[in-house]
Amino acid sequence: MTRALNLQWHSLAFSAFIFHEIVDNPLEDETPQSRLKQIGMMSVLYIMHQGHQQLTLSNIVEITGLTRTGVTETIDPLVRRGLLTEKFVKNSMGRGKARQFDIAPQILEKLRSFQQDSNSESSER
């Protein structure tokens, strides 16, 4: 299978997995609008991840045009769900702390196993 097709399958698998994780497991007092925002945010974060960009609040604000509060309101449920991990790093000026996020390793591992399964199936044909 070509590399471009692999990337397409990987992106589709990520989107489908995230969609099901968020829609099928609503958090208490969560609105459908909030879940939809989370799905969209995970898509943005995945694209940033693929582009090797740091997933900091400042970078997310810059890319999305949302306010810091808007980003935080969408990101926090993703951290609670375990779809993102959070750590504190030095801010870009080297002083103070900044929130930095990563797509949870278990999600990326599930995607890798999906990709390996699809590669082995296509080589068997």
Side-chain angles (χ1 to χ4, degrees), residues 60-116:
I60 298 166
V61 165
E62 183 179 327
I63 287 173
T64 63
L66 294 169
T67 63
R68 289 182 79 80
T69 302
V71 170
T72 300
E73 288 174 351
T74 307
I75 292 278
D76 286 346
L78 296 170
V79 172
R80 280 198 317 265
R81 288 179 188 283
L83 298 176
L84 295 177
T85 59
E86 175 183 27
K87 63 184 171 186
F88 288 91
V89 297
K90 286 187 178 182
N91 67 17
S92 61
M93 302 195 55
R95 49 192 153 99
K97 292 188 177 186
R99 292 173 73 187
Q100 183 172 320
F101 306 94
D102 290 300
I103 296 172
Q106 66 267 23
I107 293 173
L108 297 175
E109 187 56 40
K110 286 180 183 181
L111 291 174
R112 275 194 277 295
S113 67
F114 171 78
Q115 187 175 4
Q116 289 169 351

Side-chain angles (χ1 to χ4, degrees):
M1 201 179 304
T2 67
R3 180 166 160 62
L5 191 53
N6 277 339
L7 291 174
Q8 263 186 325
W9 280 113
H10 200 264
S11 294
L12 285 170
F14 180 83
S15 296
F17 177 78
I18 293 303
F19 178 85
H20 285 289
E21 284 295 309
I22 293 171
V23 171
D24 293 346
N25 303 300
L27 299 173
E28 190 175 314
D29 297 331
E30 183 179 55
T31 65
Q33 179 180 356
S34 173
R35 288 192 297 277
L36 188 58
K37 283 181 178 181
Q38 292 171 53
I39 292 166
M41 181 62 75
M42 284 301 292
S43 296
V44 170
L45 298 177
Y46 182 70
I47 291 167
M48 289 175 69
H49 170 81
Q50 292 296 91
H52 305 288
Q53 293 178 295
Q54 289 187 334
L55 306 182
T56 62
L57 277 180
S58 296
N59 286 350
I60 298 166
V61 165
E62 183 179 327
I63 287 173
T64 63
L66 294 169
T67 63
R68 289 182 79 80
T69 302
V71 170
T72 300
E73 288 174 351
T74 307
I75 292 278
D76 286 346
L78 296 170
V79 172
R80 280 198 317 265
R81 288 179 188 283
L83 298 176
L84 295 177
T85 59
E86 175 183 27
K87 63 184 171 186
F88 288 91
V89 297
K90 286 187 178 182
N91 67 17
S92 61
M93 302 195 55
R95 49 192 153 99
K97 292 188 177 186
R99 292 173 73 187
Q100 183 172 320
F101 306 94
D102 290 300
I103 296 172
Q106 66 267 23
I107 293 173
L108 297 175
E109 187 56 40
K110 286 180 183 181
L111 291 174
R112 275 194 277 295
S113 67
F114 171 78
Q115 187 175 4
Q116 289 169 351
D117 291 346
S118 66
N119 285 342
S120 64
E121 285 177 13
S122 61
S123 66
E124 290 173 2
R125 292 180 187 158

